[in-house]
Amino acid sequence: MTMHSGFNPSEEAARLVAWLKDSCISTLKRDGGVIGVSGGLDSATVLHLAVSAFGPEKVIVVMLPDRDSSPDSAMLAENMARRLGVKTLTRDITPALNGFGCYEARDHAVKQAVPDFDPSADKFKIVLPQNLLGEASLNIFSAVVIKPNGKEIRRRLTPSQVNEIVAASNLKQRARMMTLYHEAERRNYAVIGTGNKNEHDLGFFVKYGDGGVDLQPIRHLFKTQVYALAKEIGVPEDILNRPPTTDTYPADTTQEEFFYRLPFELLDGIWEAHEKALSAEAIASTFSLSVDQVNNVIADIRDKQRTTEYLRLAPLVP
């Protein structure tokens, strides 16, 4: 089986540019687009598409760092926007998050799990088990605290601790959403989202946060398809080669560590083959895995889809 057979990045780029132009101007009656750009692959790809659709003078890049953001994110985003001739705005959301009590609530939950955690000196991240191919395991989060001397302390989080950390962290995405809409509405622009299929279908997004947008041009694309599209439309190599990160916690965290548990090439390949109704035996043969390993991955995909279904639902009405 060939991964993404029938997917033509050049044709898809042209289709998405035309779709953006028609959807934004004709359907939404907006004059251009606002994009929150992080220095990551997805936002870079959407920015390139939007510039092709509207021209650089009708696109605004908004960078929305907080105190935990990597400085590399802003540098990459700024360099890319300058190369494209797009205006950039920087809105530091740290004061707003302090007002919401984001950091205090989050750090309190981490300290419950790791009493030795010192928010003023230590870094931390939360991660899932990484042995998905080794054994079937639940999506149970652990906190990893990193001391200044490099020592790591790992503790499993209780459900209530996870809920507190995630709820506090989600304030970041919701603060960004509010800021993007403020910048969009004052210009009669649309907010253009950057979520892909992996994020949307598996629930790796914040409802009314990064999921709160007007247009989602790459929501139907696997991450590996986004890579192919990005290469086609000229996304810079330094962004293409950057490991996908959450850029949410003080310690560096890859998306694989935090949520997906597998490299995208393997995850997307198994997922796509499963969607095409290939048997676990056929998938195992294609990827040189055991049937049990394939079944572990498929079970994890189904579990994430099931437990995050509420995120994809519109508000319920009687």
Side-chain angles (χ1 to χ4, degrees):
M1 187 197 79
T2 302
M3 186 185 290
H4 310 319
S5 58
F7 177 71
N8 184 307
S10 178
E11 292 178 359
E12 183 68 359
R15 187 183 76 84
L16 291 177
V17 167
W19 177 85
L20 274 170
K21 190 179 301 184
D22 181 65
S23 297
C24 184
I25 297 172
S26 299
T27 303
L28 298 179
K29 312 300 182 187
R30 295 294 180 264
D31 300 323
V34 169
I35 306 170
V37 176
S38 65
L41 177 78
D42 298 319
S43 61
T45 302
V46 170
L47 174 59
H48 279 70
L49 293 170
V51 168
S52 294
F54 311 124
E57 71 282 356
K58 292 291 187 179
V59 178
I60 299 292
V61 161
V62 185
M63 294 178 289
L64 297 155
D66 80 300
R67 73 182 198 189
D68 295 327
S69 300
S70 167
D72 291 344
S73 299
M75 178 193 68
L76 290 167
E78 186 71 53
N79 290 344
M80 178 177 55
R82 187 182 302 114
R83 185 176 66 84
L84 292 171
V86 176
K87 180 181 178 180
T88 63
L89 302 173
T90 299
R91 300 287 184 262
D92 189 333
I93 61 171
T94 302
L97 296 175
N98 276 323
F100 288 140
C102 165
Y103 304 111
E104 183 180 7
R106 182 197 68 184
D107 293 346
H108 176 71
V110 175
K111 197 169 181 63
Q112 285 182 321
V114 185
D116 194 34
F117 173 54
D118 178 2
S120 67
D122 302 339
K123 294 184 176 182
F124 87 93
K125 57 187 176 181
I126 65 174
V127 299
L128 288 173
Q130 298 301 294
N131 59 342
L132 182 57
L133 294 179
E135 60 179 352
S137 56
L138 299 175
N139 287 295
I140 298 175
F141 283 101
S142 295
V144 179
V145 169
I146 305 171
K147 308 299 284 185
N149 63 5
K151 177 184 176 183
E152 292 191 4
I153 304 171
R154 182 184 295 253
R155 296 287 185 273
R156 179 177 290 189
L157 294 165
T158 66
S160 63
Q161 290 164 355
V162 172
N163 288 345
E164 188 62 64
I165 293 169
V166 170
S169 300
N170 285 354
L171 286 168
K172 296 186 179 188
Q173 297 297 344
R174 293 187 174 114
R176 290 179 174 124
M177 180 273 291
M178 289 190 294
T179 307
L180 290 174
Y181 269 97
H182 174 248
E183 296 299 338
E185 288 172 348
R186 61 196 292 258
R187 295 174 172 84
N188 195 45
Y189 281 11
V191 175
I192 305 177
T194 63
N196 58 50
K197 179 182 174 75
N198 299 65
E199 292 170 338
H200 181 266
D201 288 15
L202 299 185
F204 188 41
F205 69 94
V206 178
K207 195 168 189 175
Y208 305 121
D210 53 334
V213 296
D214 297 313
L215 300 162
Q216 293 186 313
I218 62 169
R219 198 182 83 178
H220 60 297
L221 297 179
F222 287 104
K223 185 76 169 190
T224 42
Q225 290 176 311
V226 179
Y227 272 106
L229 181 62
K231 291 177 183 178
E232 175 66 29
I233 62 180
V235 170
E237 288 291 329
D238 50 2
I239 292 177
L240 285 168
N241 296 329
R242 188 187 190 201
T245 66
T246 64
D247 208 17
T248 298
Y249 300 104
D252 292 336
T253 315
T254 68
Q255 291 183 353
E256 182 181 332
E257 280 184 293
F258 176 71
F259 190 77
Y260 293 114
R261 305 176 68 185
L262 280 179
F264 286 113
E265 291 80 3
L266 191 54
L267 172 63
D268 290 0
I270 294 173
W271 186 2
E272 183 180 29
H274 176 64
E275 285 191 335
K276 292 179 177 177
L278 270 69
S279 67
E281 290 76 12
I283 300 172
S285 176
T286 298
F287 294 97
S288 301
L289 298 172
S290 71
V291 172
D292 284 344
Q293 288 175 316
V294 170
N295 284 330
N296 287 349
V297 175
I298 293 171
D300 191 65
I301 291 170
R302 286 173 171 168
D303 183 61
K304 286 185 168 77
Q305 290 175 326
R306 177 183 58 80
T307 57
T308 63
E309 179 58 30
Y310 77 99
L311 295 175
R312 293 177 289 276
L313 292 175
L316 302 180
V317 296

